[in-house]
Amino acid sequence: MWIHPEEVLLAGALWVSERANPFFILQRRRGHGRGGGLSGLLVGTLDVVLDSSARVAPYRILLQTADSQIYWNIACGSSRKEITEHWDWLESNLLQTISIFDNDEDITTFVKGKICGIIAEENRGKQGEEQEEDCGKFREAELKMRRLFGMPEEEKLVNYYSCSYWKGRVPRQGWLYLSVNHLCFYSFLLGKEVTLVVQWTEVTQLEKNATLVFPESIRVSTRSTEHFFSMFLNINDTFKLMEQLANIAMRQLLDNEAFAADRSLPKPCKTLKNVSALKRDLDARAKNERYRTMFRLTQDERLDGHTDCTLWTPFAKMHVVGQLFISNNYICFNSREEDLCQLIIPLREVSIVEKADSSSVLPCPVSISTKNKMNFLFANLKDRDFLVQRISDFLQRTPDSSYGDTSPLSLIGHSASSSIPSSSSAASESVHRGRHFHPDLPTASQGLLQLYHQDAPEDLGPKAMKEKMKEEAWNIHFSEFGRGVCMYRTSRTRELILNGIPERLRGELWLLFSGAQNEMATHSGYYGDLVEQAMGLCSLATEEIERDLHRSMPEHRAFQNEMGIAALRRVLTAYAHRNPSIGYCQAMNIVTSVLLLYCTEEEAFWLLVALCERMLPDYYNTRVVGALVDQGVFEELTRAFLPLLYEHMQELGVISTISLSWFLTLFLSVMPFDSAVLLVDCFFYEGIKVIFQVALAVLHDNMDALLSCNDEGEAMTILGRYLDNVVNKQTVTPPIPHLHALLTSGDEPPPEIDVFDLIKSSYERFGSLRSDVIEQMRFKQRLKVIQSLEDTAKRSVVRAMMTESAFSIEELEELYCLFKSKHMTSCYWGSSSSAAERHDPSLPYLEQYRIDPAQFIQLFTALAPWTCGGHTPTLSARLFRLLDQNQDGLVNFKEFITGLSGMYHGDMTEKLKLLYKLHLPPALCPEEAESALEATHFFTEDEPQGEEGKDGGRDTEEKKDDKVKDYRYYLRMWAKEKEPKRETIKDLPKMNQEQFIELCKTLYNMFSEEPLEQELYHSIATVASLLLRIGEVGKKFNNGSKKPETTAIQAPSPTQTLPTNPQQEEASGEGGSGESQVCRALADAQLESPAPQTSDEETKDDTSVSSYSVVSSGSLQCEDIADDTVLIGGGEQRRGSVLDVDWSITFEQVLASLLTEPPLVDYFEKKRDIQSKMAACRAQRAVERQMSTASDHELTQHSI
């Protein structure tokens, strides 16, 4: 490629000149190509260690002038062909022009200008914006990665690092390339080459550790091996990036969504050296994630920037040092000292932003006023003018309307609401229990608990007085620290929460601390619209919701009547409609019913959104991945804090059993309601760390009893009884009996545990837990959980397929891995259809991964026993159409194995039946088949007759009389349809002449690599002749009523072999009508080269010979002659060929004919081994990576 001219002082060092003229020199890197010896090995090693571009571009062209000692590098190339093209261009376009220049300086200036102009023109033609952003050095590294590892252009490099890869106990110094989908390493030291490629989706563990053997290293584990990397310049930066990329891969396995680069990143002020746009993107994502988690903001919130400052706190009368964060909708502040002060100011609440007067005491202050008359004073701001300008810009974009220009349903991109009509007629027809959300509903304005308490007489007991005191304490707090979103959040706030939130304020504070209030404020009316669209729709989620409605807190009187049940139905259905990827999961009903007690319907909905999408990520999807991840984190925490108990509990297998229900329902299903709701208070303020703390405290309190347990049941009983007796002695409402407690209480009631004491002890013993540490542990467990779920899916698929195929367990597992990797490849390297559309986690495991025709052809070519040379893609496309029963253009694993198993393990009849079907519709597509008549017959012959025809003549009275009979009749018919039909060879439709020609071509191509090739060709010729005569005889019987114009049809003897060239056939122009066509088709097939590129002249000659030999033979004198098209070879059309439409044969005739030829019988009965094919697939990448330093070998294919 052309490069911006660079000065070269020593032209001869490490380079060999190959061509030269007075102005240009073409050079090759020493050691590249033939020879090289020791100097070549040393140069190659030096290039790798120093990351020289000569490793990827071993050719270059230098500009030289007679008087100057300085050379200019103007072009480089990875192959001799590429550099020669540049050399030829220079000689033909520039050499004559510059020879007339007098001054050497003018020559240099002219050539440099010309080269820069060419590069500018090339760059203008490129559409990729990020390529423009990346610096030249980085683009060079990306090119190097693609060439070294055979990656396509879709594979984007994120960053690369110099490091050592430990092979055994020997470190190999080289370069680690981290791309979006792969971890790659390359090293070349004194002729020893090491190439490693690991898919991120295969990584099961990623650890940074330091041992005596591997000093400060990163360990990358897959299912089969471990890889160690060390000697990084910045190991923390590398490890952080590896974590991010592995996380993206796990998300890909979970959701099947490919990584999409963020196009809206602001461009850097200056080109950052060796930092790609993708690396900036990932860094920005990590910062955004931390920012959103810290302040509980929505997923679309993006951090614009942050700066150090101080905030004046009126409650403490002091300036607090911390950081100010600005994003598109919020201004946030967090103190440097933990829990001292946190502040969130939504821009929708801001009324004035102004620069205050600066002084020595208060330098560079900015004052922000809100609509509810609160003032915030920030000082010590470094770039105050720029900050105020940014805030001003964001304020101008802040919409005043309810939810701005965006449709609320665009929050979740895959909501299907756009296709659903919301008509008033549908609303009026809905039954009472499914009536739509309306502002006049009681639950639209207050929580269920308030509805039931409003008529109760006022309680003046000690508990009620304590509740009033709590309310008063919060009111004092509000007056001092502010109320609403802009409240100062301090350690005092946490103290009040730990003492219990008053019932009247619970809903308001849950909304505030979870961040749900912000979403509700910016999406006014969204919930009502969603309910209107969702109610009345039927889906799997709505069926599950209906089933669980009456199981949600049945002991609470709010859910013992239709009002509470209807409110719960509306909230759950609306959420399932908003987020179909989650839909509905068990445990959501329990959590939502508690939310509805304290909040209005709309508030409960937004709290559920905050829970499912932010606070408990992936908890409520189909495989409860988030809960399983936290279960793993809990086990790790137990091992760290309670090591003795951990060992014993692991033996019993208790931790994994108990913790899932604790986390999924936030203890609401295992603890009395009045106690568990206090944990929910803490959870909305502190996040998941509270649940971990309390779970550890529960285990600690029962340690002695658990250590003496002998089995899982005993341990479960101890923990169950303990949790049943955790009581809230301060509750005002009468205690609600806990069903679990009623069922498990023994003779002696165990001692009661005060929930406030439990929470207090959890903070005292385990309060050191930090949210960022938990997130780090979650990442580690996520890798483990998702990979174990993938292994479970594989085992389930293999078990299911064991009964339906003759492959062994090991073979099925290997085939599943190959099939899945094809699907994943399309997910991140693109395909004709998005892999996300093809992956439906709700489907059975067998049907979750599906591949398209292009990927199927690749797998078929690699694995199928029938190799047909250039005809293989055609055959695999036909098999794909045959297996694609629902005609959605995709084949799942079950269908794939069905086809493959037939070819490998079927008996001769089964194999021939499959081959026969591949030459009939639907396998033979309309472009290949002459007529669609057979296809219609194929689809309709086995279908049962419609009932309309049977019942059409009956009177309505007869129908009424035979109701019972009809009902039973339909049941019988339904049962009959459900029974799997055994297809016999008599069910197969007849094959016409063109289809038979295609079959002969396939058979002819199948034997090209067989040792008994000639005997098989002879057998095929014999069988083809025999079947042609059978078809002709059958035609005579079928056309008995017709009087043919000719009485004789001449057929060759059965021993006749195939003609080897068209001229011979043309000379003998008396062949039989059908036979001449088949012989010609086979001869053409023989003449076809595997490469489809043929010149127009060759095609024309071939067509003319083919047409002439058919028409001039004069033997096609049948009455029904169709002047149509015959398709021969790779889809080329031969016009003028004639087909006999009355000619046909059956499968029995094909089978009987083939059985007369022992070579064909031996071929189809021969057992084939798929192991060698799969081993070749596995070795394919390794073979491609074997790059000799003494060759110009170019990688063109990357196998997954």
Side-chain angles (χ1 to χ4, degrees):
M1 64 177 184
W2 300 108
I3 57 174
H4 285 285
E6 297 171 351
E7 274 191 21
V8 177
L9 295 174
L10 294 169
L14 309 180
W15 292 85
V16 180
S17 296
E18 294 205 333
R19 293 191 194 179
N21 60 40
F23 301 101
F24 301 107
I25 307 172
L26 190 155
Q27 293 185 324
R28 171 178 54 83
R29 188 69 163 174
R30 195 179 294 277
H32 183 81
R34 292 183 297 278
L38 182 62
S39 64
L41 293 177
L42 289 169
V43 172
T45 304
L46 203 63
D47 286 344
V48 169
V49 173
L50 300 178
D51 191 30
S52 165
S53 59
R55 186 69 196 161
V56 73
Y59 296 95
R60 71 179 183 183
I61 296 174
L62 300 181
L63 167 67
Q64 64 170 356
T65 51
D67 299 333
S68 174
Q69 295 298 312
I70 295 173
Y71 297 81
W72 294 89
N73 187 5
I74 57 171
C76 65
S78 54
S79 66
R80 192 180 294 277
K81 183 184 173 186
E82 184 186 354
I83 205 72
T84 307
E85 284 175 6
H86 287 352
W87 180 264
D88 293 344
W89 187 90
L90 288 170
E91 284 194 329
S92 58
N93 291 287
L94 288 190
L95 207 56
Q96 285 185 337
T97 309
I98 60 178
S99 60
I100 60 172
F101 280 77
D102 296 329
N103 189 345
D104 287 348
E105 201 172 309
D106 291 346
I107 293 173
T108 308
T109 308
F110 175 77
V111 174
K112 284 165 67 177
K114 197 76 176 169
I115 300 299
C116 289
I118 293 170
I119 294 169
E121 197 61 38
E122 282 177 355
N123 286 343
R124 197 176 298 131
K126 287 180 184 174
Q127 295 300 314
E129 291 176 16
E130 60 188 280
Q131 283 191 338
E132 297 295 318
E133 282 186 34
D134 295 340
C135 68
K137 184 74 176 166
F138 190 85
R139 286 205 297 275
E140 191 180 280
E142 189 166 47
L143 175 68
K144 196 181 298 183
M145 177 202 76
R146 287 185 191 141
R147 292 197 54 76
L148 289 174
F149 307 105
M151 301 286 180
E153 281 198 19
E154 292 83 3
E155 186 68 1
K156 301 295 183 189
L157 179 66
V158 181
N159 214 348
Y160 62 106
Y161 303 92
S162 170
C163 71
S164 290
Y165 169 55
W166 291 78
K167 206 167 182 192
R169 293 188 179 274
V170 181
R172 299 294 180 89
Q173 185 65 28
W175 291 86
L176 180 72
Y177 296 88
L178 303 181
S179 72
V180 172
N181 304 298
H182 295 86
L183 174 152
C184 309
F185 177 84
Y186 181 79
S187 169
F188 178 88
L189 292 173
L190 299 177
K192 297 272 187 180
E193 189 175 44
V194 177
T195 308
L196 173 74
V197 177
V198 178
Q199 279 187 1
W200 288 117
T201 49
E202 295 299 316
V203 173
T204 55
Q205 206 172 355
L206 203 59
E207 278 186 319
K208 184 175 67 174
N209 48 24
T211 61
L212 289 171
V213 183
F214 301 112
E216 203 178 31
S217 62
I218 293 173
R219 182 175 69 174
V220 180
S221 306
T222 63
R223 287 178 178 81
S224 52
T225 53
E226 287 186 342
H227 306 287
F228 290 89
F229 301 92
S230 65
M231 300 188 192
F232 291 93
L233 288 172
N234 187 343
I235 193 167
N236 293 327
D237 181 47
T238 311
F239 185 69
K240 207 177 288 179
L241 180 58
M242 289 166 93
E243 274 188 331
Q244 273 186 286
L245 292 168
N247 233 338
I248 289 167
M250 291 309 105
R251 178 59 54 192
Q252 207 167 284
L253 284 173
L254 201 58
D255 301 338
N256 247 249
E257 289 183 5
F259 173 80
D262 188 349
R263 298 283 179 190
S264 55
L265 273 181
K267 291 201 174 186
C269 305
K270 58 179 181 178
T271 305
L272 302 167
K273 191 183 178 186
N274 294 354
V275 176
S276 67
L278 270 177
K279 176 73 168 67
R280 287 178 50 237
D281 181 1
L282 288 170
D283 289 345
R285 285 174 193 232
K287 284 179 182 173
N288 288 337
E289 194 58 45
R290 283 196 298 273
Y291 170 64
R292 288 193 293 259
T293 307
M294 189 188 297
F295 298 105
R296 299 273 164 78
L297 302 176
T298 55
Q299 295 296 332
D300 57 346
E301 203 59 32
R302 295 158 59 124
L303 180 65
D304 186 67
H306 58 90
T307 182
D308 292 334
C309 70
T310 58
L311 169 67
W312 171 252
T313 50
F315 54 89
K317 303 288 189 290
M318 62 183 281
H319 292 280
V320 175
V321 178
Q323 279 194 314
L324 182 70
F325 301 83
I326 296 177
S327 60
N328 39 334
N329 293 301
Y330 297 91
I331 299 169
C332 302
F333 174 84
N334 196 38
S335 61
R336 191 176 294 170
E337 189 182 328
E338 199 176 359
D339 279 342
L340 193 58
C341 181
Q342 195 184 67
L343 184 65
I344 299 167
I345 310 170
L347 291 179
R348 65 177 186 275
E349 296 290 327
V350 173
S351 56
I352 300 169
V353 178
E354 57 185 352
K355 300 175 201 171
D357 293 334
S358 188
S359 66
S360 56
V361 181
L362 206 62
C364 302
V366 169
S367 170
I368 298 175
S369 304
T370 62
K371 291 171 184 172
N372 59 356
K373 309 296 183 216
M374 288 184 77
N375 287 306
F376 303 98
L377 189 63
F378 299 94
N380 290 286
L381 292 158
K382 286 180 185 171
D383 198 343
R384 182 173 65 161
D385 295 342
F386 177 73
L387 181 78
V388 171
Q389 184 58 48
R390 289 303 289 163
I391 295 173
S392 172
D393 292 344
F394 283 128
L395 278 171
Q396 284 175 357
R397 296 179 213 161
T398 304
D400 294 327
S401 58
S402 54
Y403 38 74
D405 301 331
T406 11
S407 159
L409 291 168
S410 64
L411 291 173
I412 298 292
H414 37 261
S415 177
S417 59
S418 55
S419 60
I420 298 150
S422 55
S423 59
S424 56
S425 59
S428 59
E429 287 170 16
S430 63
V431 291
H432 172 71
R433 68 183 189 137
R435 72 174 178 273
H436 296 180
F437 179 79
H438 193 271
D440 295 339
L441 286 173
T443 50
S445 55
Q446 49 192 325
L448 289 168
L449 218 53
Q450 280 180 283
L451 287 171
Y452 285 97
H453 285 175
Q454 61 190 11
D455 300 327
E458 191 178 355
D459 187 359
L460 297 173
K463 287 183 179 177
M465 295 309 292
K466 189 150 193 176
E467 184 78 1
K468 284 192 183 304
M469 285 169 66
K470 278 187 193 175
E471 282 184 31
E472 191 54 40
W474 273 98
N475 286 330
I476 292 167
H477 185 78
F478 290 148
S479 63
E480 198 174 338
F481 294 85
R483 187 168 189 166
V485 193
C486 301
M487 180 173 78
Y488 292 98
R489 300 162 199 220
T490 65
S491 52
R492 172 71 183 140
T493 316
R494 175 189 282 160
E495 286 170 24
L496 286 172
I497 288 166
L498 294 183
N499 289 329
I501 298 176
E503 280 186 5
R504 288 176 188 274
L505 297 173
R506 191 161 267 146
E508 177 191 336
L509 292 173
W510 282 359
L511 278 170
L512 175 64
F513 296 134
S514 65
Q517 186 170 331
N518 289 319
E519 273 190 289
M520 193 171 81
T522 51
H523 297 91
S524 172
Y526 172 72
Y527 172 68
D529 294 343
L530 209 53
V531 173
E532 288 294 320
Q533 290 163 350
M535 295 308 282
L537 295 176
C538 284
S539 65
L540 182 65
T542 55
E543 287 173 20
E544 290 176 345
I545 289 167
E546 288 300 325
R547 194 177 61 227
D548 284 353
L549 282 175
H550 294 278
R551 303 178 192 169
S552 312
M553 293 189 69
E555 68 273 19
H556 199 291
R557 59 180 186 150
F559 297 98
Q560 291 167 359
N561 60 65
E562 187 54 33
M563 186 195 293
I565 295 292
L568 183 59
R569 178 187 292 112
R570 283 191 290 272
V571 173
L572 290 173
T573 309
Y575 186 76
H577 187 61
R578 166 191 164 88
N579 194 345
S581 64
I582 290 178
Y584 170 77
C585 171
Q586 281 189 329
M588 282 171 74
N589 59 323
I590 295 169
V591 174
T592 310
S593 56
V594 173
L595 300 178
L596 278 166
L597 289 174
Y598 299 100
C599 308
T600 67
E601 266 185 56
E602 188 175 9
E603 291 169 348
F605 169 79
W606 286 112
L607 279 169
L608 186 63
V609 169
L611 272 175
C612 296
E613 295 170 20
R614 295 200 307 277
M615 300 189 75
L616 297 175
D618 301 323
Y619 257 59
Y620 299 108
N621 58 22
T622 47
R623 298 190 280 183
V624 292
V625 171
L628 291 172
V629 167
D630 281 351
Q631 182 178 292
V633 172
F634 181 55
E635 287 188 27
E636 215 173 310
L637 290 171
T638 310
R639 182 167 55 189
F641 287 102
L642 309 167
L644 280 175
L645 185 60
Y646 171 78
E647 295 294 333
H648 187 63
M649 296 280 271
Q650 281 297 94
E651 289 170 21
L652 301 179
V654 177
I655 295 180
S656 57
T657 314
I658 54 169
S659 55
L660 202 59
S661 61
W662 293 4
F663 293 125
L664 272 172
T665 63
L666 305 175
F667 283 98
L668 287 164
S669 63
V670 293
M671 208 183 265
F673 166 72
D674 295 311
S675 306
V677 82
L678 288 169
L679 297 183
V680 179
D681 292 345
C682 299
F683 167 75
F684 277 123
Y685 186 75
E686 294 272 29
I688 194 67
K689 66 171 265 185
V690 173
I691 305 300
F692 283 124
Q693 285 176 194
V694 172
L696 287 168
V698 169
L699 291 185
H700 183 272
D701 287 357
N702 292 279
M703 190 188 291
D704 295 336
L706 289 170
L707 285 171
S708 61
C709 286
N710 297 316
D711 58 52
E712 183 186 355
E714 194 180 343
M716 296 284 289
T717 306
I718 288 167
L719 290 169
R721 285 205 175 173
Y722 176 88
L723 290 168
D724 288 337
N725 288 278
V726 175
V727 296
N728 177 5
K729 295 176 180 175
Q730 296 181 15
T731 182
V732 183
T733 53
I736 300 157
H738 193 233
L739 285 183
H740 190 259
L742 294 174
L743 295 170
T744 58
S745 58
D747 300 330
E748 290 183 23
E752 291 183 341
I753 302 98
D754 192 329
V755 67
F756 290 101
D757 293 341
L758 177 64
I759 292 171
K760 189 179 176 186
S761 72
S762 79
Y763 271 91
E764 286 170 356
R765 290 196 180 98
F766 311 108
S768 58
L769 267 181
R770 292 173 56 89
S771 298
D772 55 345
V773 175
I774 289 171
E775 279 306 314
Q776 188 67 34
M777 292 166 83
R778 272 178 166 177
F779 162 74
K780 190 176 168 185
Q781 292 299 325
R782 195 175 292 117
L783 285 179
K784 208 180 286 182
V785 166
I786 292 177
Q787 295 293 16
S788 70
L789 285 172
E790 290 295 311
D791 291 341
T792 306
K794 182 168 74 173
R795 285 194 295 272
S796 302
V797 168
V798 169
R799 268 201 307 273
M801 289 308 298
M802 280 297 292
T803 54
E804 299 191 28
S805 77
F807 289 117
S808 67
I809 293 176
E810 293 77 18
E811 287 170 346
L812 281 170
E813 285 185 348
E814 186 68 32
L815 286 168
Y816 178 80
C817 290
L818 287 169
F819 188 88
K820 181 183 153 191
S821 71
K822 276 288 168 216
H823 172 92
M824 295 308 297
T825 308
S826 71
C827 184
Y828 51 70
W829 283 346
S831 182
S832 54
S833 60
S834 153
E837 292 169 16
R838 299 184 230 156
H839 180 73
D840 184 356
S842 64
L843 289 173
Y845 286 129
L846 276 170
E847 299 169 28
Q848 281 192 15
Y849 294 117
R850 295 179 285 175
I851 57 174
D852 62 18
Q855 295 165 322
F856 182 84
I857 288 171
Q858 291 170 8
L859 280 179
F860 180 89
T861 308
L863 297 170
W866 298 342
T867 51
C868 302
H871 194 60
T872 305
T874 309
L875 194 66
S876 60
R878 287 177 190 166
L879 180 59
F880 182 89
R881 287 191 288 272
L882 186 68
L883 295 173
D884 183 17
Q885 293 174 352
N886 58 358
Q887 296 186 325
D888 62 350
L890 298 168
V891 163
N892 62 37
F893 184 67
K894 183 179 180 180
E895 293 165 339
F896 172 71
I897 290 296
T898 306
L900 211 56
S901 187
M903 287 187 277
Y904 273 101
H905 300 295
D907 56 21
M908 182 179 174
T909 309
E910 288 296 320
K911 288 177 182 175
L912 287 172
K913 194 197 287 185
L914 177 62
L915 198 59
Y916 185 84
K917 281 183 177 179
L918 288 177
H919 298 84
L920 296 172
L924 201 72
C925 68
E927 287 79 14
E928 296 173 308
E930 183 185 41
S931 165
L933 185 65
E934 284 284 344
T936 314
H937 178 62
F938 183 88
F939 281 113
T940 55
E941 67 175 347
D942 290 329
E943 287 179 9
Q945 290 183 350
E947 299 306 320
E948 290 176 16
K950 293 186 179 182
D951 297 339
R954 295 185 187 176
D955 296 331
T956 50
E957 291 175 13
E958 284 178 1
K959 285 185 182 177
K960 286 177 185 173
D961 294 341
D962 294 341
K963 245 181 204 174
V964 177
K965 180 185 169 186
D966 284 352
Y967 171 66
R968 287 175 184 165
Y969 170 76
Y970 283 122
L971 273 179
R972 276 199 304 276
M973 287 294 293
W974 180 75
K976 212 173 199 178
E977 284 174 13
K978 287 289 177 188
E979 285 176 15
K981 292 179 183 176
R982 294 283 300 168
E983 186 184 54
T984 64
I985 57 175
K986 291 185 183 296
D987 296 331
L988 292 169
K990 289 182 179 181
M991 181 176 274
N992 67 26
Q993 196 176 69
E994 184 178 5
Q995 292 160 356
F996 175 65
I997 291 171
E998 291 290 335
L999 174 63
C1000 290
K1001 276 172 55 186
T1002 301
L1003 285 168
Y1004 187 84
N1005 279 292
M1006 277 170 74
F1007 309 136
S1008 58
E1009 296 175 17
E1010 289 295 313
L1012 301 172
E1013 188 176 350
Q1014 288 307 314
E1015 289 92 330
L1016 287 165
Y1017 287 154
H1018 183 80
S1019 299
I1020 283 296
T1022 308
V1023 168
S1025 300
L1026 182 59
L1027 284 168
L1028 280 164
R1029 283 186 293 164
I1030 290 170
E1032 294 292 348
V1033 172
K1035 185 177 77 172
K1036 279 186 181 179
F1037 282 105
N1038 293 337
N1039 291 349
S1041 58
K1042 295 182 182 180
K1043 292 185 178 178
E1045 291 175 5
T1046 181
T1047 55
I1049 296 176
Q1050 191 175 358
S1053 65
T1055 56
Q1056 179 185 339
T1057 55
L1058 291 170
T1060 52
N1061 74 54
Q1063 279 76 12
Q1064 288 177 10
E1065 188 189 345
E1066 186 186 346
S1068 67
E1070 315 115 17
S1073 64
E1075 287 179 43
S1076 64
Q1077 291 226 30
V1078 174
C1079 291
R1080 185 176 314 101
L1082 297 186
D1084 284 344
Q1086 186 180 16
L1087 292 169
E1088 278 176 13
S1089 64
Q1093 290 92 355
T1094 57
S1095 68
D1096 294 341
E1097 289 174 6
E1098 286 172 8
T1099 310
K1100 192 165 68 179
D1101 291 345
D1102 192 24
T1103 308
S1104 60
V1105 169
S1106 175
S1107 304
Y1108 177 74
S1109 60
V1110 174
V1111 178
S1112 67
S1113 66
S1115 58
L1116 294 172
Q1117 296 165 13
C1118 188
E1119 196 173 323
D1120 296 323
I1121 286 178
D1123 188 6
D1124 211 325
T1125 303
V1126 183
L1127 294 177
I1128 293 177
E1132 296 174 10
Q1133 297 190 348
R1134 267 80 169 179
R1135 300 218 166 262
S1137 301
V1138 184
L1139 280 175
D1140 194 337
V1141 293
D1142 290 333
W1143 188 97
S1144 65
I1145 52 171
T1146 63
F1147 176 71
E1148 292 103 310
Q1149 291 165 345
V1150 173
L1151 179 60
S1153 304
L1154 282 163
L1155 286 170
T1156 62
E1157 292 294 323
L1160 288 173
V1161 174
D1162 292 343
Y1163 176 83
F1164 283 107
E1165 285 190 340
K1166 183 181 176 184
K1167 292 289 179 191
R1168 307 278 172 173
D1169 180 28
I1170 198 171
Q1171 289 286 358
S1172 56
K1173 296 268 188 184
M1174 292 193 298
C1177 268
R1178 283 195 302 270
Q1180 193 171 358
R1181 180 191 291 166
V1183 170
E1184 285 172 356
R1185 304 286 178 257
Q1186 299 302 314
M1187 290 172 48
S1188 166
T1189 53
S1191 75
D1192 251 343
H1193 176 61
E1194 287 189 37
L1195 290 171
T1196 54
Q1197 183 184 4
H1198 175 57
S1199 170
I1200 296 304

